[in-house]
């Protein structure tokens, strides 16, 4: 037992001396718990909503007042036409638009069944269903309130108010099929996992074998070395991406509604960010195990803060700000927009700029670390 105790003491000393292990054991799990506990939620809130009010009556203004008081919605104001309503959904500005027709109040006073139409972005079926449920419930509450107010008039022989009817119209995913939302996201998730993790582990393996040091003493510059590492994995990433698109079409019946060329161009920008991240991880990690752990931690971080499981609008404000550091957030939006909506490039310019900027940042940081190591 004395020999076992001595071995255990040696292992603890080794762990204590290796600062990377302390970070992996204590710091990383704490950060993961903090992020997961804050980001994962079943709540649906902060849904961007606008209204097209054609009636301009007391009753329609009362509907607007009630909607603005519901914390579920982020009220964005009034729109002038159905064209603006559709454009706001296409551009991702709103997730729901309530349309109140002309004659709404008159139909209500006559005891008829007035109707309001709700245009809903159905890409996220869960949020779309909850949005419709809240609007329908709000309609029922208003009907009860108006009924009490008109009770005396109804008793005197005047027609009682009719109950407003909510007519939903789901855009992009009429059947609220969850696979239309998850399958494109899975393509981005698998691409992130393969490119970042494989790149990091491959380079660290060369570092451990000593071949990387041999390359660094050749006439190759740090930039040329990084580019030489990027090209093969970029090709592999695009091949995997093509397989994902093909599987989505043939197995799940999900075609690409938008431009395939645009999708591949934005996928290339995404690959720059993920491959750059993988190369940067390889400059930080000393062993393959460390590279795997850091890459896995990055994957968990990217997954939780991408909007894959939980819409970003549902997360706390501080967590929402953290998602801007996540390249998968932008590519997840790109995939869903092009796959389901056929969104043109002008609406995706912010995502393209963010992914390209992150790619340049990661690659530049990796080149500088390689250069510093070669000079050292």
């Amino acid at each position: 037992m004395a020999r076992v105790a001595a071995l255990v003491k040696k292992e603890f000393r080794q762990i204590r001396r290796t600062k990377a292990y302390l970070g992996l054991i204590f710091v990383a799990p704490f950060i993961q718990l903090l992020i997961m506990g804050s980001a994962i939620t079943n709540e649906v809130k902060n849904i961007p909503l606008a209204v097209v009010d054609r009636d301009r009556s007391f009753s329609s203004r009362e509907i607007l007042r009630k909607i603005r008081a519901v914390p579920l919605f982020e009220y964005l104001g009034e729109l002038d036409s159905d064209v603006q309503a559709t454009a706001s959904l296409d551009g991702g500005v709103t997730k729901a638009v309530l349309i109140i027709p002309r004659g709404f109040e008159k139909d209500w006073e006559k005891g008829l069944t007035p109707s309001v139409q709700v245009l809903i972005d159905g890409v996220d079926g869960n949020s779309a269903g909850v949005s419709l449920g809240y609007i329908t419930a709000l309609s029922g509450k208003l009907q009860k309130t108006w009924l009490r107010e008109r009770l005396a008039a109804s008793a005197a022989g005047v027609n009682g108010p009719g109950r407003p009817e909510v007519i939903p119209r789901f855009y992009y995913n009429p059947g609220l099929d969850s696979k239309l939302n998850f399958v494109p996201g899975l393509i981005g998730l698998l691409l992130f996992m393969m490119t970042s993790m494989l790149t990091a582990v491959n380079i660290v393996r060369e570092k451990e074998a000593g071949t990387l040091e041999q390359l660094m003493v050749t006439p190759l510059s740090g930039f040329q070395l990084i580019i030489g590492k990027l090209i093969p994995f970029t090709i592999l990433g695009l091949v995997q991406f093509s397989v994902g698109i093909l599987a989505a079409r043939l197995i799940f019946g999900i075609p690409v509604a938008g431009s395939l060329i645009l999708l591949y161009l934005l996928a290339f920008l995404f690959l720059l960010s993920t491959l750059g991240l993988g190369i940067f991880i390889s400059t930080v990690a000393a062993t393959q195990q460390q590279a795997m752990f850091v890459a896995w931690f990055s994957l968990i971080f990217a997954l939780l803060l991408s909007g894959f499981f939980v819409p970003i609008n549902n997360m706390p404000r501080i967590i929402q700000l953290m998602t801007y550091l996540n390249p998968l957030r932008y590519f997840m939006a790109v995939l869903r927009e092009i796959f389901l909506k056929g969104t043109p490039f002008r609406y995706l310019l912010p995502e393209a700029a963010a992914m390209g900027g992150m790619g340049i940042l990661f690659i530049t940081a990796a080149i500088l670390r390689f250069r510093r190591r070669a000079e050292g």
Side-chain angles (χ1 to χ4, degrees):
M1 290 300 296
R3 294 177 181 178
V4 174
L7 182 59
V8 170
K9 187 182 298 183
K10 189 273 293 182
E11 292 296 330
F12 274 113
R13 286 177 180 173
Q14 184 174 343
I15 292 173
R16 190 182 63 225
R17 292 170 182 170
T18 308
K19 295 181 179 180
Y21 284 156
L22 296 178
L24 297 178
I25 294 171
F26 298 107
V27 180
F30 173 77
I31 296 176
Q32 287 179 330
L33 180 62
L34 181 64
I35 294 174
M36 292 172 68
S38 302
I40 298 178
T41 174
N42 291 325
E43 291 183 293
V44 177
K45 55 186 178 181
N46 299 327
I47 297 175
L49 178 141
V51 175
V52 177
D53 184 5
R54 296 176 184 160
D55 198 43
R56 302 287 178 180
S57 62
F58 171 81
S59 299
S60 65
R61 288 193 296 272
E62 183 70 8
I63 292 176
L64 266 62
R65 188 182 69 82
K66 291 290 186 181
I67 285 178
R68 296 177 69 172
V70 176
L72 169 78
F73 299 112
E74 181 185 349
Y75 181 68
L76 301 182
E78 296 186 40
L79 302 175
D80 296 328
S81 64
D82 292 0
V83 175
Q84 287 188 1
T86 303
S88 70
L89 289 169
D90 288 339
V93 178
T94 61
K95 295 297 182 182
V97 179
L98 182 67
I99 300 178
I100 305 174
R102 288 186 181 90
F104 174 83
E105 187 174 66
K106 290 181 180 179
D107 289 344
W108 169 75
E109 291 177 343
K110 291 178 181 178
L112 302 176
T113 302
S115 62
V116 293
Q117 187 177 34
V118 187
L119 310 181
I120 301 177
D121 185 338
V123 172
D124 184 353
N126 179 57
S127 297
V130 172
S131 300
L132 177 61
Y134 267 85
I135 293 174
T136 303
L138 178 62
S139 170
K141 290 180 180 179
L142 284 173
Q143 189 263 348
K144 291 180 180 179
T145 301
W146 293 339
L147 183 60
R148 286 195 298 268
E149 293 174 353
R150 297 279 295 178
L151 188 59
S154 299
V158 180
N159 289 333
R163 176 168 182 164
E165 180 184 7
V166 178
I167 303 176
R169 181 180 177 185
F170 296 104
Y171 278 55
Y172 321 119
N173 185 7
L176 300 184
D177 190 347
S178 61
K179 71 172 182 287
L180 295 182
N181 184 43
F182 281 107
V183 170
L186 278 173
I187 295 174
L189 175 62
L190 294 174
L191 192 61
F192 182 97
M193 179 173 63
M194 192 278 288
T195 52
S196 60
M197 190 173 296
L198 193 60
T199 305
V201 173
N202 182 270
I203 295 178
V204 173
R205 184 188 299 118
E206 288 195 37
K207 189 191 302 183
E208 290 180 330
T211 56
L212 188 61
E213 280 70 13
Q214 295 175 10
L215 289 174
M216 293 174 67
V217 298
T218 64
L220 287 171
S221 64
F223 176 77
Q224 292 172 328
L225 182 59
I226 294 295
I227 295 299
K229 292 290 184 183
L230 282 176
I231 291 177
F233 289 107
T234 301
I235 295 174
L236 290 175
L238 291 175
V239 170
Q240 182 194 11
F241 186 60
S242 301
V243 172
I245 293 176
L246 191 62
R249 182 68 180 92
L250 298 180
I251 299 175
F252 299 101
I254 306 175
V256 178
S259 169
L260 199 59
I261 295 176
L262 175 60
L263 185 58
Y264 269 92
L265 288 175
L266 294 177
F268 175 75
L269 292 179
F270 177 65
L271 285 173
L272 285 183
S273 63
T274 59
L275 292 173
L277 175 62
I279 293 176
F280 181 76
I281 290 174
S282 71
T283 65
V284 175
T287 65
Q288 293 183 56
Q289 289 80 6
Q290 289 182 15
M292 283 284 291
F293 192 93
V294 175
W296 180 254
F297 173 77
S298 301
L299 174 65
I300 296 298
F301 171 84
L303 173 62
L304 295 177
L305 302 186
S306 66
F308 180 73
F309 291 117
V310 180
I312 292 175
N313 286 338
N314 295 0
M315 301 177 186
R317 182 59 182 169
I318 184 65
I319 302 297
Q320 291 185 35
L321 294 175
M322 293 174 63
T323 64
Y324 289 106
L325 303 175
N326 180 15
L328 187 57
R329 167 209 166 112
Y330 303 104
F331 193 54
M332 196 74 67
V334 164
L335 287 168
R336 289 169 174 169
E337 291 286 331
I338 296 180
F339 258 92
L340 303 180
K341 297 184 179 182
T343 305
F345 178 69
R346 66 178 181 273
Y347 292 117
L348 301 175
L349 184 58
E351 285 80 6
M355 290 187 296
M358 287 184 181
I360 293 173
L361 178 64
F362 285 136
I363 292 172
T364 302
I367 291 173
L368 292 176
R369 286 190 63 87
F370 266 111
R371 184 175 301 169
R372 187 182 308 168
R373 180 169 179 174
E375 293 173 354

